[in-house]
Amino acid sequence: MGPSSVWNDAFVVRVRVYRPGDLDACLSIVRGLPEFFTAEAVEAIRDDLGRHGGWVADAGEVVGLAVVERRSVAVAEMLWAAVHRDRRGSGIGTRLIEQVLGALAGEGVVLVEVKTLDGSAGYGPYASTRAFWERRGFVQVDRIDPMPGWQPGSPCALYVAALGTTRSKLG
Ligand SMILES: CC(C)(COP(=O)(O)OP(=O)(O)OC[C@H]1O[C@@H](n2cnc3c(N)ncnc32)[C@H](O)[C@@H]1OP(=O)(O)O)[C@@H](O)C(=O)NCCC(=O)NCCS
């Protein structure tokens, strides 16, 4: 097999809408990332998947998930995103998020927010998370500390991506 037959991991991954039967696989992915998701967060993800549904990256087995809450006709929040720890850094998250953002844009969403741990926390693992969102076009618009509902010492970085313009809606 020559180099041309080497497939990028993301290439064989299909992004599809979450189904209730994906729950255990999704929870297993986030439980496998304890430096990112506390036990409390895992339970919140369970609730949010039940409430909002989401999308999964399916490579024969579920290898990634994204959970989105619609805030209004034009605004959505990316509540959770994760890729199986053994598959991180191979393009799956990019493919997942790009498809989710495309679906949201198609439904008329123009702004998408995501909250993550701010750099001032000095906690290493989230540096790659912030880099990921920034590479996907998210811009940090604020730092919130303390963030209601988050553990003390966990400053929030509020990121926003524009999928369309808001100005054209002005009269
Ligand atoms: C963030 C996450 C969903 C991205 O998915 P992924 O499949 O790893 O991402 P991709 O391979 O598509 O993109 C990797 C990008 O992440 C960043 N990155 C840096 N170090 C990384 C690492 N060790 N592993 C993964 N991504 C890393 C890079 O910016 C890279 O971007 P580039 O290749 O475009 O330059 C995934 O890594 C993950 O589950 N992280 C832990 C949980 C988390 O932080 N979730 C988001 C909470 S807000």
Side-chain angles (χ1 to χ4, degrees):
M1 296 210 327
S4 60
S5 58
V6 176
W7 287 53
N8 182 302
D9 218 6
F11 216 56
V12 292
V13 168
R14 187 169 64 98
V15 175
R16 62 167 174 80
V17 168
Y18 168 84
R19 302 191 283 251
D22 300 321
L23 178 64
D24 287 347
C26 290
L27 295 183
S28 167
I29 289 169
V30 293
R31 280 196 199 100
L33 294 161
E35 67 275 50
F36 293 95
F37 302 109
T38 60
E40 210 173 47
V42 173
E43 289 314 304
I45 292 167
R46 179 199 297 277
D47 288 350
D48 285 332
L49 278 167
R51 193 171 299 131
H52 307 294
W55 285 264
V56 297
D58 186 338
E61 56 181 345
V62 173
V63 293
L65 62 132
V67 185
V68 174
E69 179 178 0
R70 294 292 291 268
R71 288 301 172 86
S72 69
V73 172
V75 179
E77 177 173 357
M78 187 81 64
L79 292 177
W80 308 101
V83 165
H84 190 285
R85 74 178 305 120
D86 298 341
R87 313 289 284 266
R88 291 182 60 212
S90 59
I92 293 170
T94 298
R95 184 166 178 145
L96 175 64
I97 296 309
E98 293 300 334
Q99 283 204 221
V100 170
L101 296 182
L104 292 174
E107 294 169 10
V109 171
V110 291
L111 289 176
V112 181
E113 63 171 306
V114 62
K115 299 184 182 106
T116 193
L117 189 65
D118 187 75
S120 61
Y123 180 67
Y126 273 98
S128 64
T129 301
R130 291 189 300 275
F132 174 78
W133 293 119
E134 288 165 17
R135 290 274 288 166
R136 307 280 82 76
F138 284 77
V139 177
Q140 184 169 356
V141 294
D142 215 341
R143 171 180 176 276
I144 307 169
D145 186 21
M147 175 70 194
W150 288 22
Q151 289 171 4
S154 305
C156 168
L158 177 61
Y159 280 88
V160 174
L163 308 183
T165 180
T166 56
R167 295 276 296 166
S168 60
K169 295 206 170 146
L170 297 178

